[in-house]
Amino acid sequence: MTVPKTLDAPYQPPRIFGPEYRTATLGILLVVTLIAFEGMSVGTVMPAVSKDLDALDLYGLSFSAFLIAGLLANVVAGLWSDRRGHAVPFVLGVGLFAAGMAMAGAAGSKELFIVARAVQGLGGGAVIVAIYVMIARVYVPETRPRVFAAVSSAWVLPALVGPGLSGLIAETVGWRWVFYGIVPLVVPALVMLLPALRGGEGPLPEPAPGPRSRPLAMTLAAAATATGAGTLLYGVDLLHGSPVPGGVAVAAGLLVLVLGLPRLLPPRALRFGRGLPTTVMMRGVLSSAFFGVNAFIPLFLTEVRGFSVGAAGVALTIGALGWTTGSYLQTRWTGDRPLLVRIGAAAVTAGILLTLLAIVPGVTGWITVPAWVVAGFGMGVGTTSVNVTAMRQSPDAEQGANSAALQVVDTLGSALTIGIGGALVNLIGHDDIATGYVTIAVLMAAIGVLGTAAAGRMREVS
């Protein structure tokens, strides 16, 4: 006999691994784990790839190509998700991601490797936006912080296993097998994912009015933004050896970027307008500061402090664990989300500055491990709170567009800071990686300070 609930019984939101959400949750987490293995493994072996392909001059671009291609996929996937549902961009994204991994493993030159990274980015960009839309449409608002925390937790196993295993593989059978080894993970991911997608699509909301609902205009704006960012980074790389062509490319890239980017974001976003505009921009600020340093920690530790590839990856491992811890703790927060984002930005800034102690004579390079725990904790607290707040502030018909906007500023910010960091390494000189790293870290810490100051503007005007 079923006992009826009383009217005053407290509401208990469904569990994310309960019968209602289990299939969707497992499908999301399996794909995120696949992407996480790529992120943790490729970041660790990039110094080995650079040496083998003679590509140290393209070290930053190898990361930026992934991110810039993902930017275009973010917008297209967001538009498709708003109008047709998130299933198709999800499945196509996984396929492109796997194809890019296979291409990277087979690359015989640095140019082909960059192309392969771009294909990976197209797939990864589509998948992440589809995940955000799926979370917004499948889960009730009370469970979304737990889902985003679970997504961050999907990085734990790759963080523990990825850097050490990929370093071992690179040092024994070669870095190419790090890429080849991730490809088979697509099969079980898709097997789990397809039932979740078939059951997860509900009635679609009416398309939202306004310029961000126009597919052709948005696609052209995304192409302009990606082209502008790529041209800008290419010009920055040229400045050292060819200052005039480099300057022209930088100016042209900035012009195209300024024409395209505002159309992809909520109105007043670039001015950090109160509410959703600042919420979206904070995702880019956090990612710019964190990943602008994260990409160069393995290079610094291997080239300056003499670490092996596997040992250098430990800092990235521990940082991911800090990220997961912060993401979990935010689920228990019932107070002001903008305050939590401010705490996260401050922690990212502190972690970046702490890594600079590794430059000091007599201080071990292992100081980067606790430093990156602090920075990772800040990202877990901050980015998850940004995601939750953005979905709460988004009308149903704009969830895809705003999910895409979050990813656009994330990928664009990371691509620009990593690309500029790579250019700084080239400008200062490959024989002085330490000075290049210090310069990068100071610049990224300044971005973190900006985020700490701006987080309060996430609050909507009463």
Side-chain angles (χ1 to χ4, degrees), residues 35-416:
I35 295 174
F37 265 112
E38 182 274 341
M40 300 306 299
S41 300
V42 173
T44 300
V45 302
M46 272 308 301
V49 176
S50 296
K51 288 183 178 180
D52 190 32
L53 298 181
D54 190 24
L56 187 58
D57 57 327
L58 297 180
Y59 188 93
L61 187 57
S62 64
F63 290 97
S64 299
F66 178 96
L67 297 170
I68 291 172
L71 187 153
L72 178 61
N74 294 155
V75 176
V76 175
L79 286 166
W80 187 285
S81 297
D82 278 340
R83 290 176 170 268
R84 303 289 181 86
H86 50 266
V88 171
F90 213 135
V91 175
L92 286 180
V94 172
L96 282 172
F97 182 80
M101 296 298 292
M103 291 171 60
S109 68
K110 57 187 179 183
E111 291 80 11
L112 290 177
F113 184 79
I114 297 299
V115 171
R117 292 288 288 161
V119 174
Q120 292 174 47
L122 288 172
V127 166
I128 294 299
V129 168
I131 285 175
Y132 281 20
V133 176
M134 188 175 183
I135 290 173
R137 292 183 179 167
V138 172
Y139 298 86
V140 297
E142 293 82 1
T143 64
R144 291 174 192 164
R146 293 188 176 90
V147 183
F148 281 118
V151 167
S152 292
S153 298
W155 285 74
V156 172
L157 180 61
L160 290 172
V161 176
L165 181 60
S166 60
L168 178 63
I169 293 172
E171 293 169 355
T172 53
V173 297
W175 59 266
R176 297 180 186 277
W177 289 98
V178 173
F179 291 89
Y180 290 144
I182 295 176
V183 175
L185 294 175
V186 171
V187 176
L190 286 179
V191 168
M192 284 296 303
L193 181 61
L194 290 176
L197 292 174
R198 284 198 296 266
E201 293 278 21
L204 296 176
E206 290 294 323
R212 290 203 298 155
S213 65
R214 300 170 187 164
L216 179 59
M218 287 289 283
T219 302
L220 290 175
T225 302
T227 301
T231 304
L232 172 62
L233 291 175
Y234 176 72
V236 169
D237 274 330
L238 281 180
L239 284 174
H240 177 49
S242 306
V244 174
V248 171
V250 168
L254 282 173
L255 176 61
V256 177
L257 188 60
V258 168
L259 291 175
L261 179 60
R263 299 177 182 273
L264 306 180
L265 307 179
R268 301 178 294 109
L270 294 178
R271 291 182 288 165
F272 283 80
R274 285 197 171 276
L276 179 63
T278 293
T279 300
V280 169
M281 291 300 294
M282 283 301 302
R283 174 68 179 270
V285 169
L286 289 167
S287 295
S288 297
F290 181 85
F291 290 109
V293 173
N294 187 78
F296 295 96
I297 286 178
L299 180 66
F300 167 72
L301 292 178
T302 54
E303 297 295 326
V304 178
R305 302 309 300 260
F307 280 40
S308 68
V309 173
V314 172
L316 303 186
T317 299
I318 303 301
L321 295 178
W323 189 318
T324 301
T325 302
S327 185
Y328 168 74
L329 291 178
Q330 64 79 33
T331 65
R332 311 183 70 84
W333 180 267
T334 58
D336 184 37
R337 285 279 169 182
L339 175 59
L340 206 56
V341 175
R342 175 168 285 168
I343 292 171
V348 170
T349 306
I352 291 171
L353 293 175
L354 284 172
T355 67
L356 293 176
L357 293 176
I359 301 292
V360 179
V363 177
T364 175
W366 289 108
I367 191 66
T368 55
V369 173
W372 225 231
V373 169
V374 174
F377 175 83
M379 289 295 286
V381 167
T383 59
T384 308
S385 294
V386 166
N387 296 340
V388 171
T389 304
M391 292 300 98
R392 177 178 59 80
Q393 293 173 335
S394 299
D396 290 347
E398 297 180 5
Q399 289 165 345
N402 289 333
S403 296
L406 287 170
Q407 286 303 122
V408 164
V409 296
D410 184 300
T411 55
L412 182 61
S414 301
L416 291 177

